[in-house]
Structure formats: structure tokens, C-alpha cells
């Protein structure tokens, strides 16, 4: 059967081109992300840098590792999901060919061996090409990380020879796993049922689909219910993991149950769209629900992840903005390059000034085996008295008024893995000096920060810039006070300062979206085109039958176009429902965290995505249907495919 697999592969290579392209791009994306991740994780800090410079460089590498880890996880899931759905649909299209092999004496095991052998050949070819393509993809990823300030300048990803073996093994494994379930089902179908298109051969909702769909959908719903119900002492990054925790099982579950949903959506669309061609398009949609579901799968993946990740990052950013506005009490923000609180307080019309500055420090950590390391953090250094006046923050334990001497206040949101308590001693390295500081207060959970508030005695001599929150007296003339304060530094209203920070956060969010989704979106777009082409490749006789019954070539093309648009609607609908789960989970989690309810949905991005998917699928459908209707229909009616 392995030799026959090679023969069928050579004879029907056109059918396998789309699967090879899918495997190739998946391997290239996973390989490039893995190489960049390993290079960032093992990058060494060059000697001769100051402590602050070394800490900043190491932090850049750590951030790149975190982001690349998310990219690798997302790329792996998308590659496995799309390759699996592509192979399953390709095998389903070959039911009659496989049934003929059964009738000529092939056993079920031999059918499985044939399909697995073809998958191995596909995996080897796709992996070989993908490994070569992975190098330029890796360079593009590294360039993007540096360009968007997620990796330090000069960062390079090096080639590791053993990754080639991993890439080939991963490509073959993905291919075999993708075809395994379909091969088991193809071997179970009775050959006469496959030839006559009856019985088990036409049953779309198999037992495996029911089990996978119900378990994954229930798992996604369970995660959605449990995620916001956890403890409130969780970091922002945990909230941002919601798209992966909730959307992944929902996407898999909806994909398995899609053949049930396709006919329902077809009937609903039938209530809106009327006419002979529309009815025929919707009838085709309902008749071959597997084909429609397979074509809608990559659209669903694209929409689900773009919507959920965009909404999650946007909601966290909006929540941070609202939290800052609610917690900071002041009228103006004066930015100075040196401590100037006493001088600002002397300006006529100023009621109070609260100075604060960001201090970079390293926190000593260790394990039970004697290993010691330092983790970089940013803390806000402020006078406890003025800080209490300018911030509506109540300590969950301890007292912020005790923030004097070698003291610090911490929020559990900084690291829920640590059981910080008032009175604990922390070993800090500030400005190259080791300091033992004690925790005097526990801050409440927060999204916007700060996670650490340091005593002003821990501020290095060259710290800056300084943020001075100014409250005006009742009789103050704000324009005159702003002009006077402008002699010491730049002056903004508090709202302008918060909005400026939110705009910077939005830019960072956009950059994260680009890094996370750019390569994945490109891969998914190609997978969408591939799915439409594969779906149309087996419809030559169907188009010919439609033409001999009275439809013109243009009408057949229009029917295929409207059918493709219905498939787009199904993909958008399922992807939107999967994304809605993560959006709701993020909103509830943020509310439990800081008591603010916020939902930020990137509507312009989603509308552009929907229009782009409709145009992409529509154009591909028109091109393929016109190509498959060139042959006179009479020549195809009695011919084999």
C-alpha cells in the first residue's frame, strides 16, 4: 500500500497541492517562531553595560520570549487545526475512489495505510519546503520585533541544525494526525454505500464529531464560567490569556458541530434572500454541509482570534484608563526633569503637589536548591503623605503612611505566585546597591498599576523624570497657574495626561496585534483560498449538471458566488460567537479585579476583516467556478472525475 500511496500521489498531485501548501506554511511559521524564541531565551547580556542598561536589555529579551511563546502557541494551533480540516475534507471527497479499492479486495487496514502513506509523503514534501521558507519568515519576525520595540536593537535569531529535524518531524506528525481520523472513518464505510452515496457515507455528524464537538464546546463554556470566578489577585497577563483559554476549545467545538449549524443558517438566510439562484445556492449549502463547514473553518479561526485578542487587549487598555481617572485626584500634571515639588507648591493658586517618579529595581528570588536570580521591576517612588492625597488607594493590609525608610508597598497583582505579607523582608537591588526593605502595606489588585510603591529614600540621585500631580486652589485662575507652572516643565491637564498614556497603550496594543496575528493571518488567508479551491475541485460534474438543466455558465458562477458568501456568513457567525465568550470572560474578570465594567470591541478591524473575507472568498469562488465550467457540460456528464 505504501507503493500505491506513492503512485496515487503522483497521479493525483493536483488534489494534494493545497494540502502541501498548508503543511509548508504551517511548518515555516512554527519553525520561525521556535528559532526566534530559543534565540531570545538564550541571548546573553554583553559585558560592560551599567546595571540599569543590563536590566533593561534582559527585560527586552524576556518580553520577546513571552510574546514569541504566545506566537508559537497560536501558530501551532492554527497549523494543526487547518491542516486537520483540510485533510479531512480531501479524504471525504475521495469516498468513491476508496470504495472501489475496497471492492477490488483492499482491506480496511490497507486503506488506512494508503492514506497515512500519502500523509507522510505530503508531510515530507511540505516540511522540506517549509523549512526553507522558515528562514525568511524568521528574519521577517525578528525585524518586526525590533521595529516594534519588542526586542532590543541588534537582536538576531540564529539557525540551529536540529530544528530542521524537528520541523520535518512536526510536519509529518501534523499531516498524519490530520488524516488519521479521516482514514479511520473512510475505512469503516461500506464500499457500496460510498458508491451509492447512501447510509454511513453521507452521514456527516459521526460519533467522533459529536464527542469532540460536545466536549470542546462544554469545555469552553466551563472555562468561561470558571475564569472570572477565580481569585481577584491575578495579574493582567493572566486576564490577557483569556482568548487562548476560552476561544481555542470553542473554535474546535464549533468546527466539529458546524455541519449541524450550516443547515440552520441556510434556512435563516432563506428567509432573507429569495429568487431562483439564491434558493439554489442555499440548497447547495445545506446539501453538502461538510464542504460548507470545511470552507468556513479557516474564516472562523481568523475571526475568533482577531476579535478575541483585539477585544481583550483593548478592554484591558480601556480599563486601565478608567481606573487611573477614578483613582488619581488632581487638576494638572507637571513633568519635570528634577525634583521640584516645593517650588511648584509655592506657585500662587496651587493647593497641593504630589511628586512621584518611576524607579527601576531588581527583586531577588530563589528556590529551595540555593539558586538565586534577580527579576527586574518598575516601582513608583512617592512621599506617603502626598501620595495618599493624590491617589484614592486604600491599603488592603498595613498602612501607606509607614512608607518611610527602607520600605515598600506591593500589590498581589504583580505576582500572585508570591504570598506577600506585611512585615516580610525583600532583597532589592536599586542603582547597583543591595537593600533589604520591609513590606509595610499591601496594595489592592490593579490593572493600571502601580504594582510597587517605594519609599522616597530608595530613589536614586539621578532618578527622573518626575510626575507632579497638582491640585488647584478654589480661587485659582487655571490659565495663569498653567503659565506659571510651565516655567518648571511641561504642563497637561490630568485628562490629557491619562489620554496620552492610553494612546501610547493603544499603540502598544496595535503592535502586539501585529506581532501575534500578522503571520497567522497571512497563513489563514492562504488557507481560506486553499479551502475554496479544494471545495470547487470536485464540483465539475455538479456544475455540468446544472448547465444541462437550463442554467447558463454565468448563472452557475453566480450561484457558486452566493453560496460562498453564505459560507463567509457562517464563518463570521461562528467565529464571532467563539470570540464573544472570551470578551465576556475578560469583562467579568476585570470587574472582579478592579470593580470597573468595560468592553472594548475593535469594530473597524472586524468590519474590515468581514469585508476582506467576503471579497477574498467571493473572488476565489468566481475564478475557480469559471475555470471549472470551461469544458462543455455534455463531455462531463458521463465521465469520471
Amino acid at each position: 500500500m505504501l507503493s500505491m500511496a506513492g503512485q496515487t500521489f503522483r497521479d493525483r498531485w493536483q488534489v494534494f497541492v493545497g494540502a502541501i501548501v498548508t503543511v509548508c506554511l504551517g511548518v515555516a511559521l512554527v519553525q520561525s517562531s521556535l528559532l526566534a524564541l530559543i534565540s531570545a531565551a538564550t541571548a546573553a547580556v554583553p559585558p560592560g553595560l551599567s546595571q540599569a542598561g543590563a536590566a533593561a536589555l534582559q527585560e527586552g529579551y524576556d518580553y520577546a520570549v513571552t510574546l514569541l511563546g504566545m506566537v508559537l502557541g497560536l501558530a501551532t494551533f492554527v497549523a494543526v487545526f487547518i491542516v486537520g480540516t483540510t485533510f479531512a475534507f480531501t479524504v471525504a471527497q475521495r469516498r468513491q475512489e476508496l470504495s472501489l479499492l475496497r471492492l477490488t479486495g483492499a482491506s480496511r487496514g490497507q486503506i488506512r495505510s494508503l492514506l497515512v502513506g500519502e500523509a507522510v509523503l505530503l508531510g515530507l514534501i511540505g516540511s522540506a519546503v517549509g523549512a526553507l521558507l522558515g528562514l525568511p519568515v524568521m528574519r521577517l519576525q525578528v525585524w518586526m520585533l525590533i521595529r516594534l520595540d519588542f526586542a532590543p536593537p541588534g537582536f538576531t535569531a540564529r539557525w540551529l541544525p536540529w530544528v530542521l529535524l524537528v520541523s520535518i518531524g512536526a510536519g509529518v506528525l501534523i499531516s498524519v494526525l490530520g488524516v488519521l481520523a479521516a482514514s479511520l472513518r473512510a475505512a469503516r464505510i461500506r464500499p457500496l454505500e460510498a458508491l451509492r452515496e447512501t447510509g454511513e457515507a453521507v452521514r456527516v455528524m459521526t460519533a467522533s464529531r459529536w464527542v469532540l464537538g460536545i466536549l470542546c464546546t462544554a469545555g469552553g463554556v466551563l472555562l468561561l464560567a470558571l475564569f472570572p470566578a477565580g481569585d481577584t489577585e491575578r495579574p493582567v497577563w493572566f486576564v490577557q490569556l483569556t482568548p487562548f483559554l476560552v476561544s481555542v476549545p470553542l473554535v474546535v467545538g464549533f468546527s466539529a458541530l458546524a455541519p449541524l449549524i450550516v443547515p440552520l443558517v441556510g434556512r435563516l438566510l432563506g428567509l432573507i434572500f429569495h429568487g431562483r439562484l439564491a434558493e439554489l445556492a442555499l440548497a447547495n449549502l445545506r446539501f453538502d454541509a461538510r464542504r460548507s463547514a470545511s470552507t468556513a473553518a479557516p474564516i472562523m479561526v481568523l475571526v475568533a482570534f482577531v476579535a478575541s485578542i483585539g477585544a481583550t487587549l483593548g478592554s484591558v487598555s480601556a480599563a486601565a484608563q478608567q481606573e487611573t481617572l477614578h483613582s488619581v485626584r488632581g487638576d494638572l500634571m507637571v513633568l519635570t526633569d528634577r525634583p521640584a515639588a516645593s517650588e511648584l507648591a509655592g506657585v500662587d493658586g496651587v493647593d497641593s503637589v504630589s511628586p512621584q517618579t518611576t524607579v527601576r529595581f531588581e527583586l531577588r528570588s530563589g528556590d529551595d536548591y540555593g539558586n538565586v536570580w534577580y527579576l527586574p521591576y518598575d516601582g513608583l517612588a512617592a512621599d506617603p503623605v502626598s501620595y495618599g492625597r493624590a491617589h484614592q488607594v486604600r491599603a488592603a493590609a498595613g498602612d501607606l503612611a509607614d512608607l518611610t525608610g527602607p520600605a515598600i508597598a506591593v500589590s498581589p497583582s504583580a505576582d500572585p505566585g508570591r504570598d506577600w505579607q506585611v512585615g516580610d523582608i525583600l532583597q532589592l537591588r536599586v542603582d547597583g546597591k543591595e537593600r533589604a526593605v520591609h513590606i509595610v502595606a499591601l496594595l489592592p489588585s490593579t490593572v493600571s498599576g502601580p504594582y510597587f510603591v517605594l519609599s522616597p529614600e530608595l530613589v536614586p540621585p539621578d532618578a527622573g523624570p518626575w510626575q507632579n500631580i497638582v491640585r488647584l486652589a478654589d480661587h485659582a485662575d487655571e490659565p495663569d497657574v498653567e503659565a506659571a507652572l510651565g516655567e518648571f516643565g511641561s504642563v497637561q491637564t490630568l485628562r490629557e495626561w491619562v489620554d496620552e498614556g492610553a494612546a501610547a497603550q493603544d499603540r502598544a496594543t496595535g503592535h502586539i496585534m501585529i506581532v501575534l496575528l500578522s503571520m497567522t493571518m497571512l497563513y489563514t488567508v492562504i488557507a481560506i483560498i486553499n479551502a475554496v479551491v479544494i471545495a470547487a475541485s470536485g464540483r465539475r460534474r455538479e456544475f455540468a449538471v446544472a448547465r444541462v438543466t437550463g442554467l447558463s455558465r454565468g448563472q452557475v458562477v453566480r450561484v457558486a458566488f452566493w453560496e460562498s458568501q453564505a459560507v463567509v456568513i457562517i464563518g463570521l457567525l461562528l467565529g464571532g460567537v467563539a470570540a464573544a465568550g472570551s470578551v465576556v470572560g475578560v469583562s467579568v474578570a476585570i470587574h472582579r479585579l478592579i470593580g470597573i465594567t468595560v468592553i472594548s470591541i475593535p469594530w473597524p478591524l472586524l468590519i474590515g476583516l468581514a469585508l476582506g473575507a467576503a471579497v477574498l472568498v467571493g473572488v476565489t469562488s468566481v475564478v475557480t467556478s469559471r475555470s471549472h465550467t470551461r469544458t462543455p457540460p455534455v463531455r462531463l456528464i458521463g465521465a469520471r472525475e
Side-chain angles (χ1 to χ4, degrees):
M1 275 298 171
L2 293 178
S3 61
M4 183 177 290
Q7 183 63 43
T8 57
F9 187 84
R10 288 191 297 270
D11 293 341
R12 297 175 60 90
W13 65 268
Q14 299 92 341
V15 178
F16 299 116
V17 167
I20 293 174
V21 171
T22 306
V23 173
C24 166
L25 295 175
V27 169
L29 187 57
V30 173
Q31 175 187 284
S32 64
S33 301
L34 180 61
L35 286 173
L37 173 63
I38 294 174
S39 299
T42 58
V45 177
L49 294 178
S50 64
Q51 181 185 353
L57 184 60
Q58 185 61 54
E59 185 180 21
Y61 286 135
D62 293 341
Y63 198 95
V65 168
T66 301
L67 193 58
L68 286 168
M70 297 175 68
V71 173
L72 180 60
L74 182 61
T76 302
F77 170 77
V78 172
V80 172
F81 180 84
I82 291 180
V83 169
T85 55
T86 300
F87 279 175
F89 183 50
T90 302
V91 172
Q93 284 188 316
R94 299 171 60 194
R95 285 194 299 262
Q96 293 188 352
E97 172 192 332
L98 299 175
S99 67
L100 289 175
L101 290 176
R102 291 287 308 281
L103 289 174
T104 56
S107 65
R108 293 181 177 181
Q110 289 174 322
I111 294 296
R112 290 193 295 268
S113 299
L114 171 65
L115 295 175
V116 171
E118 292 174 354
V120 171
L121 291 175
L122 282 171
L124 290 173
I125 296 174
S127 299
V129 180
L132 297 177
L133 186 61
L135 293 177
V137 173
M138 179 187 69
R139 295 190 184 96
L140 180 59
Q141 273 190 322
V142 170
W143 174 84
M144 191 182 303
L145 288 170
I146 298 174
R147 181 72 175 178
L148 300 177
D149 296 327
F150 290 123
F155 170 68
T156 57
R158 65 183 186 278
W159 170 256
L160 300 173
W162 58 265
V163 172
L164 183 61
L165 297 177
V166 173
S167 300
I168 295 176
V172 173
L173 180 62
I174 290 173
S175 301
V176 172
L177 291 178
V179 80
L180 191 59
S183 66
L184 292 174
R185 180 172 186 266
R188 286 198 304 266
I189 297 176
R190 297 176 180 176
L192 289 178
E193 291 180 347
L195 286 175
R196 296 173 179 174
E197 296 289 338
T198 60
E200 182 71 17
V202 295
R203 188 163 68 91
V204 178
M205 288 306 299
T206 60
S208 59
R209 273 187 175 269
W210 278 109
V211 172
L212 184 64
I214 292 175
L215 287 181
C216 289
T217 303
V221 173
L222 182 62
L223 285 174
L224 177 61
L226 294 179
F227 176 77
D231 63 88
T232 58
E233 297 179 355
R234 52 169 53 118
V236 176
W237 61 260
F238 187 80
V239 176
Q240 294 173 339
L241 283 178
T242 305
F244 301 96
L245 296 176
V246 177
S247 296
V248 167
L250 289 180
V251 164
V252 176
F254 289 171
S255 177
L257 299 176
L260 290 177
I261 303 172
V262 167
L264 296 177
V265 176
R267 291 187 178 90
L268 292 176
L269 293 176
L271 300 176
I272 302 173
F273 301 102
H274 303 282
R276 185 176 61 174
L277 296 183
E279 292 177 359
L280 181 58
L282 295 177
N284 290 337
L285 183 77
R286 296 191 298 267
F287 174 74
D288 199 338
R290 180 190 293 273
R291 179 182 65 208
S292 303
S294 299
T295 309
I299 302 175
M300 176 180 61
V301 171
L302 181 61
V303 172
F305 283 115
V306 170
S308 58
I309 293 176
T312 297
L313 297 177
S315 296
V316 170
S317 177
Q321 181 183 12
Q322 292 190 27
E323 184 185 21
T324 303
L325 286 173
H326 292 165
S327 62
V328 179
R329 294 177 295 182
D331 300 299
L332 301 174
M333 174 64 71
V334 182
L335 303 178
T336 61
D337 56 4
R338 60 182 178 82
S342 58
E343 300 170 74
L344 297 175
V347 174
D348 186 34
V350 172
D351 179 67
S352 63
V353 178
S354 175
Q356 60 189 36
T357 187
T358 300
V359 175
R360 170 64 58 90
F361 67 92
E362 293 177 282
L363 178 62
R364 181 174 177 173
S365 300
D367 55 26
D368 297 334
Y369 301 99
N371 298 313
V372 176
W373 60 89
Y374 287 85
L375 299 176
Y377 289 100
D378 285 329
L380 193 66
D383 175 73
V385 177
S386 61
Y387 184 84
R389 288 198 305 262
H391 297 266
Q392 297 181 8
V393 178
R394 293 184 179 180
D399 192 346
L400 285 172
D402 297 331
L403 200 64
T404 58
I408 192 172
V410 301
S411 169
S413 298
D415 189 351
R418 295 175 179 264
D419 185 21
W420 280 313
Q421 300 292 333
V422 174
D424 289 349
I425 304 298
L426 303 181
Q427 295 294 328
L428 268 61
R429 225 164 37 187
V430 183
D431 197 28
K433 300 177 182 178
E434 190 89 17
R435 301 289 299 270
V437 301
H438 57 281
I439 299 177
V440 298
L442 296 180
L443 302 171
S445 300
T446 178
V447 171
S448 61
Y451 300 117
F452 300 92
V453 178
L454 284 67
S455 164
E457 297 186 22
L458 298 176
V459 177
D462 58 347
W466 288 80
Q467 301 170 348
N468 300 274
I469 304 173
V470 176
R471 296 186 67 180
L472 301 180
D474 295 337
H475 67 278
D477 187 319
E478 185 169 339
D480 291 343
V481 176
E482 287 187 26
L485 295 175
E487 298 179 2
F488 301 94
S490 62
V491 182
Q492 298 172 293
T493 65
L494 195 65
R495 181 68 194 221
E496 290 173 343
W497 174 67
V498 173
D499 290 345
E500 185 179 276
Q505 181 63 39
D506 289 340
R507 287 193 297 271
T509 296
H511 292 169
I512 293 174
M513 290 281 290
I514 292 173
V515 174
L516 279 179
L517 296 173
S518 57
M519 296 296 177
T520 305
M521 287 179 66
L522 177 61
Y523 176 44
T524 310
V525 165
I526 295 175
I528 291 172
I529 298 174
N530 182 44
V532 176
V533 172
I534 292 177
S537 64
R539 304 183 67 182
R540 292 178 182 270
R541 292 186 61 192
E542 177 187 333
F543 291 153
V545 170
R547 292 180 66 185
V548 298
T549 56
L551 294 183
S552 66
R553 184 186 181 191
Q555 288 175 319
V556 171
V557 172
R558 287 198 294 274
V559 168
F561 171 80
W562 291 118
E563 184 181 344
S564 71
Q565 297 306 294
V567 169
V568 171
I569 293 175
I570 293 172
L572 295 175
L573 177 64
L574 294 178
V577 173
S582 62
V583 173
V584 171
V586 167
S587 177
V588 176
I590 290 175
H591 180 78
R592 285 181 55 83
L593 194 68
I594 60 175
I596 295 176
T597 301
V598 59
I599 295 179
S600 177
I601 300 177
W603 289 115
L605 178 61
L606 294 182
I607 293 174
L609 187 65
L611 294 176
V615 171
L616 180 67
V617 173
V619 170
T620 306
S621 175
V622 169
V623 172
T624 54
S625 59
R626 286 184 61 85
S627 174
H628 294 326
T629 54
R630 288 177 181 172
T631 305
V634 176
R635 293 173 53 186
L636 295 174
I637 294 301
R640 292 182 180 179
E641 295 247 342

